[in-house]
Every structure is written in structure tokens, then in C-alpha cells.
Amino acid sequence: MKVLIVYAHPEPKSFNAALKDTAIQTLKQEGHKVKVSDLYEMNFNPVAQKEDFTELSDKAFFKYAKEQQHSYQNDTLNPVIKEEFEKLLWADFVIFQFPLWWFSVPAILKGWFDKVLLFSGVYGGEYGRYNEARLTDKLAMISTTTGSPEGSYASNGFSGDIHEQILFHINHGMFYFTGMTPLEPFVAYTVSHSEEDRKNYLKEFEEKLKNIEQIKRIEYPKLEAFDENGQLKS
Ligand SMILES: Cc1cc2nc3c(=O)[nH]c(=O)nc-3n(C[C@H](O)[C@H](O)[C@H](O)COP(=O)(O)OP(=O)(O)OC[C@H]3O[C@@H](n4cnc5c(N)ncnc54)[C@H](O)[C@@H]3O)c2cc1C
């Protein structure tokens, strides 16, 4: 398998770095090809702006998605974004490694989604959304860490259900929206507290990645299941 790891943590000695390194080592040992986008090391600029394109189709009114389409069709995307886009197309499986910040991804990774999941390159234009988008040949998985404890991420916990409420916007709104099949996330809870827990999490992650086929797929309804108002048919 060709695996892309998109990694977002500012500290190379962090636990997120240890998870990223575990993934690289395990996947290579299992014979997979691995590429890494280390967003902080790349100093990836997450701010969506005119400089993301080497020319603009409309200088009078800047519309980001329209310029994404123009740059995709005319090969005028900023080279950094183009390289990330090509890595994404190369991959069969994309792992996103990040600490949970404000119930979501760090801004640097949010910018990667904004810029790399191109309108007309992966959805829209000749492609649709969800199961009609371009990336239906790919798997995607969140690997994240939290400060709050596991119990708080239950449906009656003070954070909210980790799958249905916290990570849904990523699995559904970013992965599945662009066609990718989300795998059940790997979550390491409250990683600052216990060295023993951290060692166990690293071991658990390693075992998971040795058996990618066994990781549960998250299934969302296909577009055909919805009516013209975008609502599930009864
Ligand atoms: C802006 C912001 C927003 C946040 N929002 C939320 C939120 O919404 N919800 C929430 O739950 N939390 C939140 N947090 C907390 C955050 O999720 C945690 O701080 C983060 O997940 C911890 O992961 P880390 O990699 O940064 O840990 P680190 O602090 O880097 O690592 C924890 C410990 O692991 C050790 N370690 C490193 N490598 C290894 C190794 N190989 N083996 C064993 N131990 C190792 C480190 O030395 C350290 O002692 C937020 C934090 C910030 C800064």
C-alpha cells in the first residue's frame, strides 16, 4: 500500500511525533511505501490567499474555489500545494496525525484541508460529493491525542461522543465528502499523565497498523439514499 502521513505537531519530541514515528517504522516493516508531510517542518502556510495561485482568473473578485478550479485546469497552483495534492493522489491510505485542539485539528492542518482538497480537483466540477467525489479509491484515518480523559468523550461525558460529535466533521465532512472511506480513528486519551499508558498506546497503534484490513470502516449513507432536499428518504 502507498501511505501518506500528514503530521501536524510543532514539537519533534512530542507524543504525536512518537506516534508518527511508530507509524512510519511499522508501515515500512510491513512492506508499505510511506511518504510524510510534516506540516510544521515545512512551515506550511495554512492561510488561504491569492498567493496560493501563480495566476488569477479573476483579479477583480477573489473567489477561492473558482481559483482552485482555474489553477487545477491550467496547472497554475502554488508548487507547495501542488506537491501535497500529488502526494494525496499517490496514496491509497492517508493517516492524519495531530493533537486534538479545540475539538478539531490544529490550524496548520485545517489549512492543508482547505488548500489541498481542491474544488474541481477532488470534488465539484467533473466530480460530485461523497461517494461521487474523486477519492473513492482511498482510505483515511485520524490518529489523535487528547488532554481530556476518555470517559469525557462518551455521549454523556463533558466533552461529547468522540465519534458522533467530535470527529464527525473530519470523518464525514472532509474524508467522506471527498470520497475517502474513513477508518475508525485511533485516539490516545490524556497522554500527558502516564508513561505506562503512553507505551501501551504506542504498542496498540503498532498492532493496528500491522492489520490495516482489520480496522473498522465507517460507513455513511450514499447520496442515492437522500431525496432532492438532501434528506434521507424514509
Ligand atoms: C490550543 C490547544 C487546544 C486544545 N484543545 C483540546 C481539546 O479540545 N480537547 C482536549 O481533550 N485537549 C485539548 N488540548 C490538549 C491537547 O490535546 C493535548 O495537549 C495533546 O493531545 C497532547 O499530545 P502531545 O503530543 O502534545 O503531548 P506531549 O505533551 O508532547 O507528550 C506527552 C508526554 O509524552 C512523552 N513522550 C514523548 N515521546 C514518548 C514516547 N516515545 N514514549 C512515551 N512517552 C513519550 C512526552 O515527553 C510528554 O511527557 C488542547 C491543547 C492546545 C494547546
Side-chain angles (χ1 to χ4, degrees), residues 9 13-16 18 100-103 145 147-148 153 198:
H9 197 290
K13 295 191 286 299
S14 67
F15 190 62
N16 270 263
L100 195 70
W101 282 4
W102 295 115
F103 285 16
T145 61
S148 296
Y153 284 101
R198 290 196 293 269

Side-chain angles (χ1 to χ4, degrees), residues 18-37:
L19 286 164
K20 180 254 302 169
D21 292 340
T22 298
I24 296 170
Q25 197 183 344
T26 308
L27 292 164
K28 285 188 174 169
Q29 271 169 5
E30 294 297 307
H32 302 293
K33 292 193 175 72
V34 181
K35 290 186 183 182
V36 181
S37 292

Side-chain angles (χ1 to χ4, degrees), residues 9-11 13-19 22 98-104 144-149 152-153 159 166 188 190-195 198-199 202:
H9 197 290
E11 170 53 59
K13 295 191 286 299
S14 67
F15 190 62
N16 270 263
L19 286 164
T22 298
F98 59 91
L100 195 70
W101 282 4
W102 295 115
F103 285 16
S104 188
T144 192
T145 61
T146 75
S148 296
S152 79
Y153 284 101
S159 299
I166 309 294
T190 326
V191 293
S192 58
H193 289 192
S194 154
E195 175 78 9
R198 290 196 293 269
K199 296 276 180 235
L202 291 174

